[in-house]
Amino acid sequence: MFDKILIANRGEIALRVLRAAKELGIQTVAVHSTADAEAMHVKLADESVCIGPPPAKDSYLNVAAIVSACEITGAEAVHPGYGFLSENAKFADILKAHNIKFIGPSPENIRTMGDKIEAKRTAKALGIPVVPGSEGGVADVATARKVAKDIGYPVIIKATAGGGGRGMKVALNESELEIAVSTAQSEAKAAFGNGEVYIEKYLQKPRHIEIQVLGDGQGRAVHLGERDCSLQRRHQKIWEEAHSPALNAAQRDEIGGRVARAMQEMKYEGVGTIEFLYENGEFYFIEMNTRLQVEHPVTEAITGLDLVQEQIRVASGAALPYEQSDIQFSGHAIECRINAENPMTFVPSPGRVDSVHFPGGLGVRVDSALYSGYRIPPYYDSLIGKLIVSGKSRSECLMRLRRCLSEFVVDGVETTIPLFQKLLGERDIIDGHYDIHWLEKYLAKLQA
Ligand code: ADP
């Protein structure tokens, strides 16, 4: 096991990793930008190193500064959290060259799954069903037209290097195709420095269902069930649950088993998530995330596993000590992402948090780096906390969530809490009847 690890992240996830490490008896090193000198992850770490000015590209994405911080402090491994450098194969390469362990999969696996076209190809070859679409990138409108005709409209144009819901454009018919392709290309170029796009059939009422996997890099891998992340705005998740209200145990075992076998074949190391759209009883692979996800706590709640500790254990060389049949699911869990944003327009609301009060009690977990008097900087993601409730059943979770949201206080900035309170009054949410377009339609109705 490692003696000391460096956490190359900030906010709630830096704290989450720090807690897991402390419980394993591992020393922690925090890194921070000058904007985060007063952040909670810095206060709680054993050591901290300032790695640059506020913009992420000069600090949390500053590879040279992070490697130096490892060398100065003697950290043997780096946990990248999510976002920032967590899916950067080059970063994983550089750490390897410096004899520092990257807590995550091999650079090869990150590279393959990070390119969305290559990922789809690999998934298909490993027996995972994919969304119908172009075989590779589409370079021009003529090719796009041909593919779209074959698979049928509507279609979605997506960036090969995409992420965070950006660079996606829908074309309902041929007349919309040309403009959709060129806007997707230019958005992709601007956001990711790579303008390549591909085409997929646009599914009209799917759910987003993803499978959590855990592998030891030595050929053993298990799945930890699914999460339903269908409640999204601008293709970004805001509410996640495990299990999905739409799946039964047989369906879970079937798709989970398939994915776990694929991960065994890849010799996948660490945690990862295979994302699917699910419509009319069929699964369609859309992408794989080769890192810890924001919504991992709902899986922890129903499996009793600490996914970050599992990551650290396999990174230190341990083999997975259990098999699929050892993974037991119990109860239900729901996570709400608390963002510092206007709950209707989602315009960020950074600034001073005058006071905070977190809900508590049985089956309640709050992952947050907030404290009274903390100033939310304007430079980073607006996620300021996650409220996770768990219970014996989905209906127990809904009751608990209602109670927790009424206790949750964040004074001084706007948050998404009122939106969740509203959602809990909706029949479709109570019944679990929602697809990936539900929330957008609901918000449009509210604003009309
Ligand atoms: P990103 O990496 O940017 O998150 P994904 O490929 O994971 O992109 O897609 C994000 C979301 O976009 C999905 O959860 C879904 O809501 C929507 N989406 C992606 N592909 C399709 C598709 N073929 N049809 C309908 N919606 C899609």
Side-chain angles (χ1 to χ4, degrees), residues 102-121:
F102 175 77
I103 301 178
S106 67
E108 297 72 39
N109 281 349
I110 300 176
R111 223 166 245 127
T112 307
M113 298 323 259
D115 176 309
K116 291 185 151 200
I117 290 176
E118 197 50 42
K120 264 183 100 170
R121 212 174 274 142

Side-chain angles (χ1 to χ4, degrees), residues 5 9 23 71 133 138 158 177 209 218 221 320 326 328 388:
I5 68 172
N9 217 302
E23 288 179 13
E71 284 176 347
V138 291
K158 298 168 77 171
L177 190 65
I209 296 182
Q218 304 172 37
L320 271 195
D326 297 319
Q328 297 294 327
I388 304 105

Side-chain angles (χ1 to χ4, degrees), residues 135-371:
E135 280 297 319
V138 291
D140 51 54
V141 181
T143 320
R145 219 172 260 135
K146 195 180 163 318
V147 176
K149 202 165 201 157
D150 287 347
I151 59 175
Y153 287 91
V155 296
I156 183 165
I157 324 293
K158 298 168 77 171
T160 309
R166 284 172 307 166
M168 283 187 258
K169 287 281 164 284
V170 177
L172 296 178
N173 49 52
E174 186 160 345
S175 68
E176 291 183 4
L177 190 65
E178 186 163 349
I179 183 92
V181 171
S182 58
T183 21
Q185 281 171 332
S186 48
E187 268 184 27
K189 181 107 189 92
F192 314 110
N194 171 357
E196 189 181 38
V197 298
Y198 64 105
I199 297 191
E200 269 177 6
K201 176 112 188 132
Y202 182 67
L203 301 177
Q204 315 248 15
K205 44 178 180 40
R207 298 183 81 110
H208 174 117
I209 296 182
E210 54 186 38
I211 307 285
Q212 175 71 57
V213 292
L214 168 64
D216 62 9
Q218 304 172 37
R220 227 161 311 171
V222 293
H223 77 86
L224 304 176
E226 85 288 11
R227 294 183 286 260
D228 194 314
C229 315
S230 301
L231 279 180
Q232 305 179 350
R233 44 95 196 178
R234 296 180 200 144
H235 305 301
Q236 288 169 0
K237 304 159 188 170
I238 64 159
W239 159 305
E240 299 99 346
E241 45 187 310
H243 295 299
S244 166
L247 287 198
N248 60 36
Q251 289 168 305
R252 173 174 314 118
D253 288 348
E254 209 281 318
I255 190 71
R258 234 184 235 239
V259 166
R261 281 191 294 280
M263 293 305 112
Q264 288 160 8
E265 226 168 291
M266 279 174 73
K267 285 212 164 47
Y268 189 80
E269 178 183 320
V271 299
T273 301
I274 320 289
E275 298 192 333
F276 292 95
L277 294 177
Y278 175 77
E279 190 174 80
N280 300 328
E282 301 287 337
F283 285 94
Y284 301 97
F285 170 87
I286 47 173
E287 68 161 346
M288 175 168 187
N289 289 317
T290 54
R291 55 167 167 85
L292 188 69
Q293 296 211 203
V294 176
E295 59 271 25
H296 75 277
V298 292
T299 300
E300 297 186 319
I302 64 160
T303 59
L305 288 171
D306 182 315
L307 291 192
V308 178
Q309 292 187 349
E310 295 299 323
Q311 282 186 294
I312 297 173
R313 275 197 198 98
V314 297
S316 75
L320 271 195
Y322 35 73
E323 297 174 9
Q324 193 61 53
S325 55
D326 297 319
I327 306 295
Q328 297 294 327
F329 301 112
S330 155
H332 195 90
I334 301 178
E335 172 181 283
C336 291
R337 296 195 191 191
I338 314 294
N339 292 344
E341 289 173 355
N342 177 286
M344 292 297 133
T345 61
F346 303 109
V347 171
S349 175
R352 188 176 188 275
V353 176
D354 300 323
S355 64
V356 288
H357 173 76
F358 294 149
L362 182 68
V364 180
R365 167 174 173 183
V366 177
D367 276 18
S368 173
L370 280 192
Y371 57 87

Side-chain angles (χ1 to χ4, degrees), residues 10-86:
R10 63 181 300 283
E12 69 86 18
I13 198 61
L15 213 53
R16 166 73 191 90
V17 174
L18 186 145
R19 287 172 173 154
K22 282 205 169 168
E23 288 179 13
L24 290 173
I26 300 171
Q27 296 279 305
T28 54
V29 180
V31 292
H32 65 91
S33 69
T34 50
D36 277 340
E38 297 299 319
M40 190 60 112
H41 74 283
V42 177
K43 294 181 194 285
L44 291 188
D46 296 305
E47 291 167 75
S48 63
V49 180
C50 180
I51 49 167
K57 68 171 175 33
D58 302 321
S59 49
Y60 297 103
L61 294 171
N62 184 342
V63 174
I66 292 169
V67 173
S68 308
C70 287
E71 284 176 347
I72 295 165
T73 58
E76 307 150 73
V78 172
H79 194 299
Y82 51 67
F84 295 133
L85 296 166
S86 61

